[in-house]
Amino acid sequence: MTVIKPKIAVYKFTSCDGCQLAFLNLGNDLLKLTDAVDIIHFAELGMVNPNAKVDIAFIEGSIATPHDLERIKNIRAKAKFLITIGACATAGGIQALRNFADTAEWVAAIYPKPETISYLATSTPISTHVTVDLELWGCPVNGEQILTAIKTLLLKVKPAIKRDSVCLECKRSGNVCVMVTKNIPCMGPVTQTGCGALCPSVGRDCYGCYGPSENPNTDSLSKQFQQQGCSRETIQRRFLFINNQAPAFLKAGMKK
Amino acid sequence: MSMKMEFNNQEYYFLPHVKINALLDYLHHQGFSCIGPQIKQDAIVYEELHDSEQLPWGLRDYQMPGQYRLEENNVKRAFSWANGPQAIKPQLFKPKESLWRVARDSHGKLTFKNVTHEMKPIALFGVRSCDVAGMLIQDKAFLTEPFVDKHYQARRENVFVIAVNCGYSSNNCFCVSTNTGPQVKAGYDIALTEIDDGFVVTVGSAAGEALINKISLKHATDEMQQAMQREINNAATMQSKAMPFDNTRVVRDLLMNNLDHPQWDDVAARCLSCGNCTSVCPTCFCSSETETPALDRIESEHSREWDSCFTEGHSYIHGKVIRDDTKSRYKQWLTHKLATWWDQFDTSGCVGCGRCVTWCPVGIDITAEVAAIAKPAVDDSASE
Ligand code: SF4
Ligand code: SF4
Ligand code: SF4
Ligand code: SF4
Ligand code: SF4
């Protein structure tokens, strides 16, 4: 009897490949995963089959070119469950900083033959264009979160991803708070958990790469940053960074 | 160990600084793993202690709402500071822990297995009075029949507590008003008070007495005992913060009668809903539980981790988050801690350690919030 294994695929859009690497870094678990699922498209791993029907589609990268736009519709139509991985796919990524600028001007300033570059004026998250079933944040995404999502879906249960603040994870890890001891403006209180409080565990501040937490009080945190001696511009840059298009961060960053 | 409280030894002994290592060696030989204060990431935290050299000699903490700094005070003392970000809580109620596993056989039958954690008994060196009081309150949450938490119990039953009475209070300490310090009253095996060159020691259990005998401590002189009293008085009189109404049931009634007070909106505008306060609080006991299936779809692991009433998951019931804004979450924290805790455990949930004040990134002060809610009441009584 042949067992039909669920098919999964990983698609790349406008991105740096870091999230695919996080996936690959699962190492042994990735090998074990192939007992339970068929990986049918994952270019970075060598499997190429871009037009197949799949059970779970993972999307890395944002929509930043006309070609991206075309592909995502096709992929959505052929996928049962679609998961965005990382800041680019989920919120537009660092490249969405172009949304605040004149993209044509930038392209002209950088490329010797700007007319050969095909691009959209903005970089937008996948959810702007198609229905997304689950969002996994982070720059890069946490491989363990991907694995848990797959394992849970195999049991036909929708994965529960916590959207609490990084602070809770920071305290569970036994870190000492950099805000309180070093007066460093940390984004942890308004950022979603999932990374294991990576940055504070090496004594530095969180810069918000997992996007906004579920109930972020950006006004109060901005005021606190100001009291810690940050200029308005510094505070804006804290919010308008890797997840600059995430609505809560965008709003806080645009505040005068 | 320290759970059995009927014990009577009123003697005072002296442990010179140079003998701390003899005490640690004795405990190590008894099979304990010693946990004690030391510097990590610019704060004093509790970790594995092998040698008295690791202790935070000559350091003092300066605490303000949302601020903590360590400075050298060049005094040859190991405990001239008040407290750090952690209490005993992470030692007994683990931040993350596996509870049980379940496996499914080929007929679909499920078999559940307890996860037991092999561990050495712990000796806690240098526990503050407020934190011992916090542990005794957590005991009520975890050890009350019929809902005994086996994981907490296994660690708690074997713990050896070396308490330390305070000679200094930080700006955020208010244990005098909560009647939980600066001198430890119950729940310890031995208690130390640091004076010049060493500690005056009192005994709280038979195990504590055995230790005193084993490392042959001499009796403390009258002068030493007077110096001990001066230290404790000093810590008590320097406290500037206080919980209104001495943290009694009056606070309970005040909060429960003011659930619509405008102060709840005021604090909600400042509060980040980050959960740092509940995480550092020595008495908070909430956790969330998760199921992590294995790739084989045959096994699954069930684990828990610290949660907080500041998360959405904490009040998620039947597909709905009941407390979906910061105002209702802050209100839950305060009314549980200081009000309904009385109904549940016949005590306040606050032991006056001041941690939630220090480690709140925006410096929200629990005593000031209660005082603000109490304000009209205080004004009324003044005008009577
Ligand atoms: S270091 Fe940052 S993430 Fe950690 S508790 Fe402090 S504010 Fe929160
Ligand atoms: S601590 Fe913050 S910036 Fe660092 S990895 Fe985690 S979410 Fe990203
Ligand atoms: S409520 Fe605050 S001061 Fe009271 S015991 Fe908890 S952390 Fe300490
Ligand atoms: S105050 Fe909140 S976190 Fe603490 S025990 Fe009560 S409900 Fe739980
Ligand atoms: S009171 Fe302070 S520590 Fe507690 S949730 Fe609010 S901001 Fe965080």
Side-chain angles (χ1 to χ4, degrees):
Chain A
M1 189 184 94
T2 38
V3 183
I4 299 176
K5 292 192 264 181
K7 295 184 175 65
I8 70 165
V10 183
Y11 304 96
K12 177 193 158 59
F13 286 77
T14 299
S15 57
C16 76
D17 288 27
C19 290
Q20 292 182 72
L21 277 179
F23 209 137
L24 286 177
N25 281 345
L26 284 172
N28 268 341
D29 281 337
L30 186 62
L31 294 177
K32 272 194 245 149
L33 184 65
T34 55
D35 292 340
V37 300
D38 273 332
I39 303 177
I40 61 159
H41 175 87
F42 192 164
E44 190 132 337
L45 200 61
M47 291 97 160
V48 181
N49 194 354
N51 293 314
K53 284 194 171 168
V54 297
D55 294 289
I56 312 173
F58 288 95
I59 312 290
E60 175 198 85
S62 68
I63 303 298
T65 68
H67 186 220
D68 285 342
L69 203 50
E70 222 179 276
R71 281 172 63 221
I72 191 62
K73 301 233 159 94
N74 184 35
I75 287 166
R76 174 69 267 192
K78 289 181 173 154
K80 281 197 194 136
F81 202 87
L82 187 144
I83 304 178
T84 59
I85 52 172
C88 301
T90 311
I94 191 77
Q95 61 272 29
L97 284 174
R98 76 159 76 146
N99 301 8
F100 304 103
D102 181 340
T103 311
E105 205 175 286
W106 276 14
V107 171
I110 296 163
Y111 296 97
K113 289 186 184 159
E115 66 280 4
T116 61
I117 309 291
S118 157
Y119 59 88
L120 298 171
T122 56
S123 167
T124 43
I126 302 301
S127 63
T128 307
H129 309 279
V130 297
T131 305
V132 172
D133 299 303
L134 182 72
E135 293 179 331
L136 296 179
W137 293 76
C139 180
V141 71
N142 177 343
E144 282 301 322
Q145 272 196 347
I146 298 183
L147 198 60
T148 306
I150 298 173
K151 290 191 292 193
T152 317
L153 282 170
L154 288 177
L155 293 168
K156 302 196 164 48
V157 177
K158 186 163 178 181
I161 300 293
K162 279 196 174 180
R163 299 185 302 153
D164 306 341
S165 73
V166 172
C167 299
L168 280 164
E169 189 60 26
C170 195
K171 283 289 181 287
R172 285 192 291 261
S173 311
N175 297 331
V176 175
C177 179
V178 302
M179 258 316 246
V180 170
T181 55
K182 296 189 194 151
N183 200 40
I184 302 176
C186 181
M187 290 284 281
V190 296
T191 300
Q192 178 174 316
T193 184
C195 66
L198 220 50
C199 299
S201 68
V202 294
R204 56 154 299 168
D205 49 306
C206 167
Y207 52 89
C209 85
Y210 270 66
S213 58
E214 144 272 338
N215 180 27
N217 189 344
T218 52
D219 278 351
S220 175
L221 192 64
S222 299
K223 260 189 212 139
Q224 185 63 26
F225 287 171
Q226 202 174 3
Q227 272 169 28
Q228 289 180 311
C230 296
S231 67
R232 189 61 228 159
E233 201 198 341
T234 305
I235 297 169
Q236 283 175 328
R237 282 173 185 240
R238 292 255 80 181
F239 288 103
L240 300 182
F241 192 39
I242 289 170
N243 287 297
N244 59 76
Q245 297 299 304
F249 287 181
L250 181 62
K251 186 165 160 256
M254 296 306 277
K255 243 189 166 166
K256 289 284 165 290
Chain B
M1 239 160 251
S2 44
M3 296 172 92
K4 300 176 200 80
M5 244 76 85
E6 326 79 36
F7 180 80
N8 206 359
N9 174 335
Q10 306 280 1
E11 304 294 315
Y12 292 82
Y13 301 90
F14 183 64
L15 171 75
H17 281 146
V18 290
K19 264 197 147 174
I20 297 175
N21 277 345
L23 181 148
L24 296 178
D25 289 347
Y26 169 81
L27 290 166
H28 284 135
H29 276 126
Q30 295 289 105
F32 287 101
S33 127
C34 294
I35 307 285
Q38 47 210 280
I39 310 293
K40 183 186 131 187
Q41 298 178 342
D42 301 311
I44 294 169
V45 302
Y46 283 74
E47 291 198 346
E48 190 90 32
L49 185 70
H50 303 285
D51 192 291
S52 64
E53 281 305 307
Q54 289 170 269
L55 294 168
W57 295 98
L59 283 173
R60 169 146 294 179
D61 54 329
Y62 291 92
Q63 303 191 35
M64 293 296 283
Q67 282 179 40
Y68 180 97
R69 299 283 179 278
L70 284 178
E71 279 172 31
E72 287 185 18
N73 69 351
N74 294 318
V75 178
K76 187 71 187 147
R77 289 201 181 185
F79 289 94
S80 53
W81 46 279
N83 61 20
Q86 306 158 328
I88 307 175
K89 184 164 87 171
Q91 304 300 337
L92 301 181
F93 171 35
K94 290 286 166 194
K96 295 180 186 186
E97 126 174 271
S98 178
L99 301 179
W100 41 264
R101 289 175 171 281
V102 57
R104 181 172 49 198
D105 67 16
S106 51
H107 307 290
K109 188 170 170 283
L110 298 179
T111 311
F112 291 85
K113 269 192 226 128
N114 268 330
V115 174
T116 44
H117 305 275
E118 288 297 322
M119 67 198 118
K120 275 188 173 183
I122 300 168
L124 296 162
F125 183 82
V127 186
R128 298 299 182 182
S129 178
C130 53
D131 290 336
V132 177
M135 175 179 75
L136 296 179
I137 291 178
Q138 276 215 330
D139 284 354
K140 295 189 179 201
F142 287 122
L143 300 178
T144 304
E145 296 285 355
F147 304 111
V148 174
D149 185 276
K150 299 277 183 257
H151 302 264
Y152 180 90
Q153 187 184 38
R155 288 181 283 260
R156 175 69 177 95
E157 275 180 345
N158 294 315
V159 76
F160 189 93
V161 177
I162 300 161
V164 59
N165 296 321
C166 299
Y168 158 84
S169 295
S170 89
N171 261 317
N172 289 339
C173 294
F174 57 97
C175 66
V176 172
S177 68
T178 55
N179 197 24
T180 48
Q183 181 165 16
V184 62
K185 292 190 209 92
Y188 59 93
D189 293 290
I190 63 169
L192 316 176
T193 311
E194 193 168 32
I195 58 171
D196 289 340
D197 305 319
F199 305 92
V200 176
V201 186
T202 53
V203 184
S205 76
E209 189 166 59
L211 178 145
I212 301 291
N213 293 334
K214 201 73 193 175
I215 59 171
S216 21
L217 294 189
K218 297 207 175 76
H219 278 89
T221 62
D222 286 351
E223 289 75 35
M224 287 171 172
Q225 291 179 43
Q226 283 155 16
M228 162 181 172
Q229 219 41 65
R230 276 199 303 277
E231 291 291 333
I232 295 168
N233 290 346
N234 181 51
T237 48
M238 71 187 296
Q239 285 188 12
S240 53
K241 206 179 278 305
M243 180 60 79
F245 307 110
D246 290 333
N247 201 33
T248 56
R249 277 179 185 270
V250 177
V251 180
R252 179 200 176 280
D253 297 340
L254 171 79
L255 296 180
M256 297 316 275
N257 290 333
N258 283 286
L259 296 176
D260 297 319
H261 198 284
Q263 187 62 21
W264 300 115
D265 289 307
D266 189 280
V267 70
R270 287 171 281 134
C271 174
L272 303 165
S273 197
C274 65
N276 273 304
C277 46
T278 61
S279 300
V280 295
C281 180
T283 67
C284 275
F285 52 78
C286 284
S287 61
S288 65
E289 301 191 2
T290 36
E291 200 54 47
T292 312
L295 261 178
D296 59 13
R297 281 177 276 180
I298 291 170
E299 283 205 347
S300 181
E301 180 182 355
H302 191 84
S303 53
R304 75 171 167 205
E305 60 181 23
W306 289 356
D307 198 4
S308 163
C309 43
F310 285 96
T311 70
E312 62 178 342
H314 193 275
S315 69
Y316 178 85
I317 302 169
H318 286 288
K320 190 172 158 33
V321 177
I322 309 294
R323 289 185 291 273
D324 62 355
D325 62 358
T326 307
K327 180 179 166 182
S328 56
R329 294 180 193 180
Y330 190 88
K331 202 187 285 181
Q332 165 66 23
W333 145 253
L334 217 66
T335 55
H336 187 214
K337 184 103 320 200
L338 304 175
T340 55
W341 213 288
W342 283 102
D343 307 310
Q344 208 177 353
F345 302 114
D346 197 28
T347 172
S348 163
C350 177
V351 295
C353 72
R355 282 194 184 86
C356 58
V357 185
T358 302
W359 300 97
C360 171
V362 291
I364 293 173
D365 178 341
I366 187 170
T367 64
E369 296 309 316
V370 175
I373 292 170
K375 219 159 180 204
V378 172
D379 287 347
D380 285 355
S381 63
S383 62
E384 266 166 22

